[in-house]
Amino acid sequence: MKKTIDDGRQTIDNRQRMVNRDNQWSIANGQSSASFVKAIGAIVWKDLRAEFRSWELISAMLVFSLLVILIFNFALELDVKTRQSVTAGVLWATFAFAGTLGLNRSMAIEKDRGCLDGLLLAPVDRSVIYFGKFFSNLAFMLIVEAIVLPVYSVLYNTNLFQPGLLLVILLGSVGYTSIGTLLATMSVQTRTRDILLPILLFPVVFAVLLAAVKASGGLLDNSTFADVSFSINLLITYDVIFIAASFMLFDAIVEE
Amino acid sequence: MISVKKLVKRFGLKTVLRGMDFEVKPGEFVALLGPNGAGKTTFLRILASLSRPSLGEVTIAGFKLPNEAAQVRARLGVVSHLPLLYGDLTAEENLRFYARMYGITKDQLRITEVLEMVGLEFRRRDLVRTYSRGMQQRLAIGRAVLHDPEIMLFDEPYTGLDQDACAMLDDVLKTVAAQGRTVVMTSHDLARAEELATRFDILSRGVIAASATRRQVKKSNLLEFYKQALAG
Ligand SMILES: Nc1ncnc2c1ncn2[C@@H]1O[C@H](COP(=O)(O)OP(=O)(O)O)[C@@H](O)[C@H]1O
Ligand SMILES: [Mg+2]
């Protein structure tokens, strides 16, 4: 019995000596903050790389979004004034529903071939995975918004490119995606995932959407930045709370 | 290398592992056998820190789970029946991604080395989506050995492979084991386990019902040994 143990150690020592001798590649210390950022970057890199090859996720979100803004405005035959007053609501409702499509797809890609396990097996803190997926999902959301906004502007002759409005859209998207990434990770583990995500997400994200619609609506109504600052502060608060909560809960959600 | 004491795992009211004890010495190749639903996958997922034990102690390479899980994961390579690869990335891109997750520097060298080992160098720039099941499984093994882990866990690696793919996988597994790694492989296919393992453990009713080394179980007797252990 003793012999087997010795033999085992022997082989391992040999192997390590071999690796050390021609030390051409090596493993960096996995605990530093630089490797934390690098690993997050790696997740975002592979998500964008795969998406820019297949266009699965962004095209689904885009087609949906464009259809909604067309249907909404043509089907209801709104006059210019009414349309102006509902623009903020329409935009955010569109982003919210398109967002669930993207979130579901983004997490399904991880789940279906077991890749989520692959991520969880990496010797990094689990928050790396959360932040990686959060930034990828945020990127998809912002790309879709960057296409929908000019289309809406041209179709309905409204200028949506105001710095204040863009800030609100960024803040709203951050809040939506932060909690959306957490809940999509949860719902993707269930059988009814496509249906479950909106049911989980909308009640929670309602507050963000409300603040975002208020702020956007105000800015489109030519209110000053000071008028909507309360809504914007609220948005920032929600963003911080949602990111912090997701950061703390993610571990519990991904481990059985 | 791996030490498991009184491990209990419950899913709700269902108890899958009931006070399981399990030891693996460095360099051993243990085949963990048992019928479907015995809890083999559950057990490997606990070792891999993908699942938390309900009770009990798990120590791997001197690190305790769950508190030192990151250190354990750095020393562990896992292959399951799912490939853990992204279909819309090439083989090379998949490995580069995982190399970054493991903090491997000069990854290009290592990626080439691994692709050569699993015989996929010639398809390195093809999307994994276009790979056959056997090629995906080989790349999955390449992914698992990328960071040169001391311990490897294989969960039914032969599932869904045809004869040729099985033979190729045999070769890769033998290479992996010959590099001095400690291996735990689950299987319900006795013949495959017999080829490779140095020890056979049988998981039944939530505990290791029997354990024997290759020498103790002569070739013709593994089936007999297995049946006896299950009959209990
Ligand atoms: N996440 C889970 N939730 C509930 N039950 C589970 C879960 N994972 C496994 N089980 C149950 O645990 C038992 C053992 O499963 P598993 O470990 O997959 O067995 P094996 O791999 O030996 O075939 C099965 O009865 C299975 O239904
Ligand atoms: Mg199994």
Side-chain angles (χ1 to χ4, degrees):
Chain A
M1 224 36 178
K2 181 97 174 36
K3 193 169 181 308
T4 346
I5 300 175
D6 289 340
D7 285 349
R9 290 229 173 99
Q10 184 77 44
T11 7
I12 284 178
D13 284 344
N14 277 340
R15 182 167 64 83
Q16 281 174 348
R17 229 174 288 133
M18 258 174 60
V19 171
N20 285 339
R21 192 182 53 214
D22 39 72
N23 193 2
Q24 294 176 319
W25 61 277
S26 62
I27 295 180
N29 180 6
Q31 299 302 314
S32 65
S33 55
S35 76
F36 186 85
V37 175
K38 255 191 193 155
I40 293 176
I43 296 177
V44 177
W45 171 82
K46 69 95 183 144
D47 272 342
L48 294 181
R49 183 113 194 166
E51 179 59 23
F52 292 153
R53 194 167 272 146
S54 70
W55 292 104
E56 242 176 64
L57 196 151
I58 291 178
S59 64
M61 288 170 82
L62 257 185
V63 170
F64 177 85
S65 302
L66 295 176
L67 283 176
V68 170
I69 55 174
L70 282 177
I71 289 169
F72 194 85
N73 287 283
F74 286 124
L76 296 185
E77 291 179 10
L78 301 173
D79 59 80
V80 176
K81 217 168 153 24
T82 329
R83 193 161 65 217
Q84 290 255 316
S85 65
V86 298
T87 293
V90 171
L91 280 178
W92 280 106
T94 308
F95 294 154
F97 281 102
T100 62
L101 290 181
L103 288 169
N104 259 327
R105 188 71 210 128
S106 165
M107 292 320 294
I109 289 171
E110 302 295 347
K111 194 67 189 170
D112 290 344
R113 288 156 160 270
C115 294
L116 187 57
D117 284 348
L119 296 178
L120 294 173
L121 285 168
V124 293
D125 195 271
R126 258 85 200 246
S127 56
V128 163
I129 302 167
Y130 169 72
F131 283 116
K133 290 310 285 184
F134 163 66
F135 284 121
S136 301
N137 292 335
L138 183 61
F140 296 143
M141 190 96 184
L142 293 178
I143 291 170
V144 170
E145 288 164 353
I147 300 172
V148 171
L149 288 182
V151 171
Y152 195 99
S153 297
V154 170
L155 275 180
Y156 304 114
N157 201 18
T158 351
N159 181 21
L160 296 176
F161 285 86
Q162 311 164 15
L165 185 61
L166 295 182
L167 175 71
V168 169
I169 288 178
L170 176 68
L171 289 175
S173 306
V174 167
Y176 178 90
T177 320
S178 62
I179 195 73
T181 301
L182 179 80
L183 294 177
T185 310
M186 201 178 200
S187 68
V188 81
Q189 326 227 17
T190 65
R191 243 179 317 143
T192 52
R193 56 194 182 192
D194 297 337
I195 307 160
L196 191 61
L197 178 60
I199 295 174
L200 287 176
L201 179 56
F202 288 152
V204 185
V205 89
F206 180 73
V208 170
L209 293 179
L210 204 65
V213 170
K214 268 232 147 65
S216 317
L219 288 170
L220 286 170
D221 238 9
N222 297 323
S223 310
T224 61
F225 202 76
D227 293 334
V228 295
S229 68
F230 176 74
S231 300
I232 290 180
N233 286 337
L234 204 58
L235 268 179
I236 294 173
T237 312
Y238 282 132
D239 288 359
V240 173
I241 291 174
F242 281 166
I243 290 175
S246 306
F247 174 75
M248 289 187 288
L249 290 173
F250 191 73
D251 215 17
I253 282 180
V254 289
E255 248 178 54
E256 288 168 0
Chain B
M1 210 58 172
I2 301 176
S3 163
V4 174
K5 294 207 178 79
K6 301 218 168 13
L7 175 63
V8 175
K9 178 66 185 177
R10 296 191 199 97
F11 292 108
L13 290 176
K14 185 169 186 178
T15 309
V16 179
L17 303 175
R18 305 160 188 270
M20 177 178 173
D21 293 313
F22 185 74
E23 295 280 337
V24 182
K25 299 186 202 79
E28 271 190 305
F29 193 130
V30 178
L32 188 63
L33 309 171
N36 281 331
K40 303 183 294 294
T41 300
T42 304
F43 178 58
L44 286 198
R45 288 180 67 81
I46 290 174
L47 292 186
S49 75
L50 293 173
S51 175
R52 276 174 193 272
S54 306
L55 284 173
E57 254 179 49
V58 182
T59 313
I60 297 178
F63 297 100
K64 272 211 161 74
L65 287 180
N67 293 341
E68 299 170 306
Q71 284 96 320
V72 170
R73 290 199 291 267
R75 290 163 178 80
L76 216 60
V78 179
V79 178
S80 75
H81 42 263
L82 288 170
L84 278 63
L85 298 164
Y86 295 94
D88 282 325
L89 296 181
T90 66
E92 199 174 357
E93 287 167 347
N94 266 291
L95 293 184
R96 189 171 312 139
F97 166 62
Y98 280 112
R100 287 179 188 174
M101 294 299 284
Y102 281 87
I104 296 173
T105 55
K106 303 218 180 115
D107 52 354
Q108 205 54 40
L109 279 165
R110 180 58 180 163
I111 288 168
T112 305
E113 204 172 287
V114 164
L115 283 172
E116 275 167 5
M117 187 191 111
V118 297
L120 289 170
E121 170 68 12
F122 72 112
R123 296 276 311 253
R124 66 188 294 162
R125 285 187 225 288
D126 292 344
L127 294 190
V128 166
R129 188 145 49 74
T130 66
Y131 278 27
S132 71
R133 177 88 183 81
M135 290 165 73
Q136 287 195 17
Q137 192 64 329
R138 267 148 57 208
L139 188 57
I141 293 174
R143 183 200 64 77
V145 298
L146 195 61
H147 56 296
D148 196 24
E150 297 160 52
I151 304 166
M152 306 237 24
L153 307 177
F154 293 97
D155 192 10
E156 314 264 1
Y158 292 95
T159 308
L161 300 188
D162 62 26
Q163 287 297 320
D164 286 351
C166 280
M168 270 194 146
L169 191 58
D170 268 342
D171 289 342
V172 175
L173 284 184
K174 278 176 189 154
T175 316
V176 166
Q179 286 164 339
R181 295 175 220 277
T182 308
V183 182
V184 179
M185 179 177 94
T186 72
S187 181
H188 58 252
D189 180 351
L190 296 188
R192 289 287 164 200
E194 211 164 9
E195 282 261 319
L196 298 158
T198 58
R199 199 181 99 199
F200 307 94
D201 279 20
I202 291 162
L203 180 60
S204 169
R205 298 183 198 91
V207 293
I208 300 293
S211 171
T213 61
R214 172 181 281 281
R215 215 168 297 160
Q216 286 165 319
V217 185
K218 293 260 159 45
K219 219 175 161 97
S220 51
N221 283 345
L222 183 58
L223 184 62
E224 201 55 37
F225 171 66
Y226 179 72
K227 278 184 181 159
Q228 265 176 18
L230 289 191

